[in-house]
Amino acid sequence: MGEIREHRTRPSGRLYQTAILRGLRLSALVICVSNTTRLDVQRIVGGNSAVVHNPVGRAFDRPRRHDRTRDFVVVAPPHWRKNRLWAVEFWLLARRLPGFAASRLHIVGGALSATERVAVEGEGAQNAVMIHSGVSDDELNAIYGASFAVIQPSLHEGFGWPVVEGQSAGTPAICIDTPINREIGGEAAIYLPPELGEESAHAAVQALIDHRAAFDESCARNVARFSQANFDTSLRACLSES
């Protein structure tokens, strides 16, 4: 439909999406994983829809004690929709703060893109980027739990797994300010504009330092919304009413 300015869908992709839309319009009920997605369904598809938030995976639903570092983690491939360069730039700004010069960035989702590499090498921080591939859920949970914060830079999401997975390990998120990130991140996240500046980045990190205990409590409260029990109850209710 041409609504996403950052990306132009190829003709074959538009045909594919048209077929998907046709199928959705035949559905008696469309269950959405977020209210943000449901608003799009109501606007584009119409018909009957409901929201059932995803449950946090069982591998992440086991909080553990970790030795917290000053590292950051971003879980995303180098795809235009994921906007991963924003996460890299945020981390580079955070490293300028006292106590964060040795901070590392853990990337789960593929090697640095050419643009990301230029940014990192420009700050001489290439040796502080840790690329992880093929990690298990348990290994990812350990990365979350040892990190200072999860960075969620995506501009277009339907849910946002890294935010919830990180919070389940007691790690708050720093997100681009979008409706879906606010819906999923709740009070256990800090929201920044897409136009990233050094002052706002430093203020976000300082807020996490100054109010860490409050963020720990917020993580526990927020992630409770995404329990398996809540998912099961909500899904059964939707199906019984359809």
Side-chain angles (χ1 to χ4, degrees):
M1 298 173 68
E3 295 182 359
I4 298 177
R5 296 189 302 272
E6 299 89 352
H7 180 71
R8 181 169 180 170
T9 305
R10 293 178 298 180
S12 59
R14 291 199 297 272
L15 288 172
Y16 179 53
Q17 292 168 357
T18 298
I20 292 173
L21 181 57
R22 189 180 302 118
L24 287 172
R25 286 174 174 162
L26 294 173
S27 301
L29 172 65
V30 178
I31 298 179
C32 309
V33 297
S34 66
N35 188 59
T36 303
T37 297
R38 187 185 187 190
L39 291 175
D40 281 338
V41 169
Q42 290 175 329
R43 179 174 60 87
I44 299 171
V45 180
N48 190 20
S49 60
V51 175
V52 178
H53 284 131
N54 282 321
V56 66
R58 287 183 172 83
F60 302 98
D61 195 15
R62 297 195 299 273
R64 308 163 189 171
R65 288 190 173 276
H66 300 278
D67 293 329
R68 192 76 62 181
T69 67
R70 291 294 175 94
D71 294 354
F72 294 82
V73 56
V74 57
V75 181
H79 188 270
W80 68 268
R81 182 170 60 86
K82 298 297 185 178
N83 192 34
R84 205 173 66 179
L85 178 62
W86 192 92
V88 173
E89 291 176 339
F90 178 93
W91 167 70
L92 291 172
L93 291 173
R95 280 170 54 89
R96 299 176 184 176
L97 282 168
F100 282 84
S103 171
R104 299 179 299 173
L105 178 64
H106 297 268
I107 295 180
V108 182
L112 291 171
S113 68
T115 306
E116 293 166 348
R117 190 177 303 107
V118 168
V120 169
E121 290 176 351
E123 295 285 331
Q126 55 268 33
N127 293 332
V129 176
M130 306 290 109
I131 305 295
H132 303 271
S133 60
V135 298
S136 67
D137 285 348
D138 284 338
E139 290 169 332
L140 180 55
N141 192 23
I143 295 171
Y144 282 133
S147 297
F148 179 79
V150 176
I151 308 177
Q152 173 70 335
S154 298
L155 292 168
H156 305 285
E157 285 292 340
F159 185 70
W161 285 108
V163 174
V164 177
E165 291 172 350
Q167 288 174 352
S168 73
T171 304
I174 295 171
C175 308
I176 279 190
D177 195 354
T178 63
I180 185 60
N181 284 337
R182 282 190 175 271
E183 179 182 351
I184 302 304
E187 296 179 353
I190 292 177
Y191 305 96
L192 297 176
E195 300 78 23
L196 188 61
E198 184 170 18
E199 184 176 345
S200 61
H202 288 182
V205 173
Q206 193 62 50
L208 290 182
I209 295 172
D210 294 342
H211 307 287
R212 193 72 200 200
F215 275 103
D216 288 345
E217 294 175 3
S218 296
C219 282
R221 284 197 305 270
N222 191 59
V223 79
R225 297 191 292 141
F226 307 102
S227 69
Q228 186 67 46
N230 284 349
F231 173 83
D232 293 345
T233 300
S234 299
L235 185 59
R236 288 193 187 100
C238 287
L239 296 178
S240 65
E241 294 170 4
S242 63

